[in-house]
Amino acid sequence: MPRQPERIPTNLDEIFDYLAHAQPVMLKIASGTDFARQSMRKASFVLCTLKASSFVDADLTGASFTSCDLSDTVFTGCILSGTRFVDCDLSRADFRDCQLETTQFVAGKAVKAAYQGAAITKASFAKTDISETDFRDVTVERSAFLDCPIEGLSLTGAVLSSVMLTKADLRDIDLTDVHIDTAVFAEADLSGKDLKGQSLQRCTFYKGKFTQTRLDAARLDGSVFADCDFEAASASGISGNMTCFTKSRMDGLDLSNSNLSMANFVQSSIKGAIFNGSQLYSAAFTEADAKAAQFERCNLQQADFSRADLSAGNFGAATFSNTKFHAAKRDGALFAGASGSVIETDQDRAISELYSPRIVVLDGDDTRETR
């Protein structure tokens, strides 16, 4: 690897001379420089050492910092709209009360940085180490955290709205009083977290891990949990109107006394799950593995159990109305005290479904079982 040229000390006047001629400031040392309240729109710094400098109340709109040392730098009150930090060291940087709109942090590190009071909108953090960073009481809107190390991150009291996080290990993250509305979490790990009573509305979790997670009384309305693992978790008394749990593993999960109207459990494994006393109006359990699941005293009006396995299930005192049991397995299921109308198997439909390429392989057909 070729050796980089040495960085040369500079001063404030020389830096502003470069900026006045729209030239990038390159390979300069200006540690501890006071840029407070300066207008530095579209400024460009490349391979510079600006450690412990001050940009308090400065305007850095459209500015860019590439491979710069900005550790211990103070940006308090700074305007950072459209500013780019690429491969920079922002360790212990102070972003409190800053305006971060469309700000980009790429492939650098900002460990132990502080963002309290900042307005973060449409910002992106891509492969940036934000471990032990302070996001307490911060509002983050329409922003993305893509494959970022977040160990020790503090989100206490934060509001996350329209946010995306990928490959986020949230097990040791402080989520006390966090309000999350409309967010996407890809391969997030929330195992062992206490999320009792938390708001996770209109969120999407793909391949999320919720092993031993407490979700009791959580607000999950409109959220999607696709291919998620809820092993040994608890979720009694949740609010899950129109919530989707497709292809998730929820065996033995306690969902009793929950509001799950129009919830979706299609192709999920809910063996031994407890729904007792829950509102399940128009819920979908199509092709779910619900062996020994408990639905005592549930409102199952308009619910759909088509092709579900309900063997040894308990529907005692449940309320039905046009509840679909088309081609469902009910061997050993209990219906003592249940009331209302159900829709039984449509034989013609059941026969035709046997010849669906999704279900059966015909001679000479390479289609495989997908269920």
Side-chain angles (χ1 to χ4, degrees), residues 33-290:
T33 302
D34 186 2
F35 297 98
R37 293 172 292 281
Q38 297 286 351
S39 177
M40 303 175 68
R41 299 169 70 92
K42 298 185 178 180
S44 177
F45 293 86
V46 181
L47 291 164
C48 291
T49 300
L50 299 164
K51 180 180 176 68
S53 294
S54 172
F55 289 90
V56 174
D57 295 327
D59 185 353
L60 288 170
T61 299
S64 66
F65 296 84
T66 304
S67 301
C68 293
D69 184 354
L70 291 157
S71 55
D72 299 298
T73 294
V74 179
F75 293 93
T76 306
C78 189
I79 300 174
L80 295 167
S81 297
T83 307
R84 299 180 73 244
F85 297 95
V86 180
D87 190 30
C88 291
D89 185 354
L90 289 155
S91 301
R92 300 172 300 281
D94 188 346
F95 291 100
R96 288 179 296 176
D97 300 317
C98 287
Q99 296 179 37
L100 293 99
E101 182 175 358
T102 64
T103 310
Q104 297 180 40
F105 298 84
V106 182
K109 60 180 179 179
V111 298
K112 297 184 179 180
Y115 292 85
Q116 285 180 292
I120 303 176
T121 307
K122 300 180 184 177
S124 62
F125 296 77
K127 292 191 174 181
T128 298
D129 190 345
I130 54 175
S131 301
E132 300 182 71
T133 294
D134 188 355
F135 279 100
R136 289 178 298 170
D137 302 313
V138 170
T139 297
V140 184
E141 297 181 312
R142 291 173 286 172
S143 298
F145 297 82
L146 308 176
D147 201 6
C148 294
I150 58 173
E151 183 178 357
L153 181 75
S154 178
L155 287 168
T156 305
V159 176
L160 307 181
S161 178
S162 299
V163 170
M164 172 182 285
L165 285 87
T166 64
K167 296 184 179 178
D169 188 344
L170 298 164
R171 289 176 294 176
D172 298 320
I173 305 304
D174 188 353
L175 296 173
T176 305
D177 297 325
V178 173
H179 179 84
I180 302 175
D181 190 333
T182 314
V184 176
F185 296 84
E187 300 179 62
D189 192 343
L190 291 116
S191 299
K193 298 295 296 181
D194 186 354
L195 302 176
K196 183 177 180 180
Q198 293 278 53
S199 176
L200 297 169
Q201 300 178 93
R202 291 172 291 279
C203 294
T204 298
F205 293 88
Y206 175 66
K207 291 189 175 180
K209 296 181 180 178
F210 294 87
T211 304
Q212 297 183 327
T213 302
R214 288 194 65 189
L215 288 161
D216 306 280
R219 298 182 297 283
L220 311 177
D221 303 285
S223 291
V224 174
F225 297 85
D227 199 9
C228 292
D229 189 351
F230 291 88
E231 182 181 357
S234 63
S236 63
I238 65 171
S239 178
N241 289 299
M242 300 181 70
T243 302
C244 182
F245 297 95
T246 54
K247 296 185 178 180
S248 290
R249 294 161 296 287
M250 310 173 74
D251 298 335
L253 182 63
D254 184 359
L255 289 155
S256 59
N257 301 310
S258 295
N259 190 342
L260 294 163
S261 295
M262 294 181 281
N264 188 328
F265 297 88
V266 172
Q267 295 185 338
S268 286
S269 181
I270 51 175
K271 297 189 294 290
I274 303 170
F275 292 91
N276 297 341
S278 291
Q279 170 66 253
L280 288 162
Y281 173 80
S282 201
F285 294 89
T286 307
E287 299 183 24
D289 186 348

Side-chain angles (χ1 to χ4, degrees), residues 307 326-327 346 348-357 359-360:
R307 299 187 300 282
H326 170 74
D346 182 329
D348 291 337
R349 174 185 166 191
I351 292 171
S352 67
E353 287 171 344
L354 290 176
Y355 291 93
S356 167
I359 299 173
V360 68

